[in-house]
């Protein structure tokens, strides 16, 4: 039986992948159950032609991934209140199956504490899921669903009540770690996050370092994430662990230079409001297999 839960979808685009965007929109339109209303946000770029019934918003400048998605959220009313849940989908992804929206509805209906669902990302040609797309430390089996402590930004569903309670994505992050910031705030408010292997977004295999700003943003936002969300004793521990991991991975000299530039920026630039999580949330993260020191 179909759930009465009303779903919307937010897709941001730079306007440079019109064929992939159209294929994604077609895959959303094919979802079983009630229609999923869609908003496409042109993030500093015109939106390509879209099917009738798809709403569009064109921004005069690129607000980054979290900023663009926040605009999409508000297109559904304050904190997305016109719908019960929102799918966030990358514009070069594709919903592999027609039952994903219905599975989301059923999952949210069955578990009132479930606030966020993160989908499995699979390469459309090989079916392989990269380890980095399994949001837990024990990532060797991408086919195992589980509770997790963060989610994948372009392949997820969020109950809009979560956004109303804890706010949207941190717009100043621009790119990288904005999902973890929202996830930690949601967990601190008592919500849970599930990784679901049976909800699949097809997406070409890529490396995050393809983005020119990757190393600087990753370092800066790690520091901001800690400064905004962690109890004071854990801030230097979390940041120190990631500094050591970065050095162990031996990035190239230009990458390391960019990383340290971002690391310095993370300490010297404002990070936004500080709302440290409760220690019981630290314990919850630890029990879920990812203490907030790594």
């Amino acid at each position: 039986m179909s759930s009465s839960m009303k779903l919307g979808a937010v897709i941001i685009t730079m306007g440079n992948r019109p064929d992939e965007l159209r294929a994604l929109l077609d895959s959303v339109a094919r979802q079983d159950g009630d229609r999923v209303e869609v908003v496409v946000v042109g993030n500093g770029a015109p939106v390509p032609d879209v099917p009738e019934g798809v709403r569009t918003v064109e921004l005069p400048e690129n607000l980054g991934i979290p900023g663009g998605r926040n605009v999409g959220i508000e297109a559904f009313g304050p904190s997305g209140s016109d719908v019960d849940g929102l799918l966030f989908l990358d514009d070069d992804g594709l919903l592999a199956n027609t039952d994903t929206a219905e599975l989301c509805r059923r999952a949210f209906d069955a578990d009132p504490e479930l606030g966020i669902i993160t989908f499995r990302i699979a390469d459309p040609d090989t079916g392989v899921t990269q380890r980095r797309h399994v949001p837990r430390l024990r990532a060797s089996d991408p086919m195992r669903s589980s509770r997790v402590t963060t989610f994948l930004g372009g392949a997820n569903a969020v109950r809009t009540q979560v956004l109303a309670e804890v706010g949207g994505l941190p717009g100043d992050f621009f790119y990288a770690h904005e999902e973890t910031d929202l996830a930690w705030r949601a967990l601190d408010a008592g919500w849970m996050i599930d990784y679901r292997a049976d909800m699949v977004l097809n997406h070409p295999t890529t490396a995050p370092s393809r983005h020119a700003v990757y190393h600087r943003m990753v370092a800066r936002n790690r520091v901001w994430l800690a400064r905004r969300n962690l109890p004071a004793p854990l801030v230097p521990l979390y940041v120190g662990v990631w500094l050591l991991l970065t050095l162990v991975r031996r990035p190239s000299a230009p990458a390391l230079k960019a990383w340290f530039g971002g690391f310095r920026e993370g300490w010297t630039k404002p990070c936004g409001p500080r709302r440290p999580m409760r220690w019981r949330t630290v314990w919850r993260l630890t029990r879920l297999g990812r203490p907030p020191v790594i």
Side-chain angles (χ1 to χ4, degrees), residues 62 110 139-140 160 163 199 206 264 287:
N62 182 357
S140 59
T160 52
L163 302 171
M199 303 181 189
T206 57
R264 182 170 55 253
R287 285 190 293 109

Side-chain angles (χ1 to χ4, degrees), residues 88-144:
F88 295 90
L89 306 170
D90 277 350
D91 69 341
D92 55 345
L94 182 78
L95 290 175
N97 305 310
T98 62
D99 64 352
T100 302
E102 276 292 271
L103 289 173
C104 287
R105 294 184 182 103
R106 293 172 191 168
F108 284 133
D109 281 344
D111 186 353
E113 293 186 343
L114 180 61
I116 302 172
I117 303 169
T118 185
F119 306 159
R120 180 168 61 89
I121 294 179
D123 185 275
D125 296 321
T126 65
V128 170
T129 296
Q130 294 177 273
R131 281 186 70 93
R132 71 184 183 90
H133 285 152
V134 182
R136 58 178 179 243
L137 291 179
R138 295 173 182 172
S140 59
D141 182 7
M143 302 306 294
R144 178 173 66 86

Side-chain angles (χ1 to χ4, degrees), residues 36-60:
V36 178
E37 186 178 349
V38 180
V39 169
V40 178
V41 178
N43 213 357
V47 176
D49 289 338
V50 296
E52 185 178 353
V54 173
R55 289 190 288 155
T56 63
V57 179
E58 293 188 353
L59 303 178

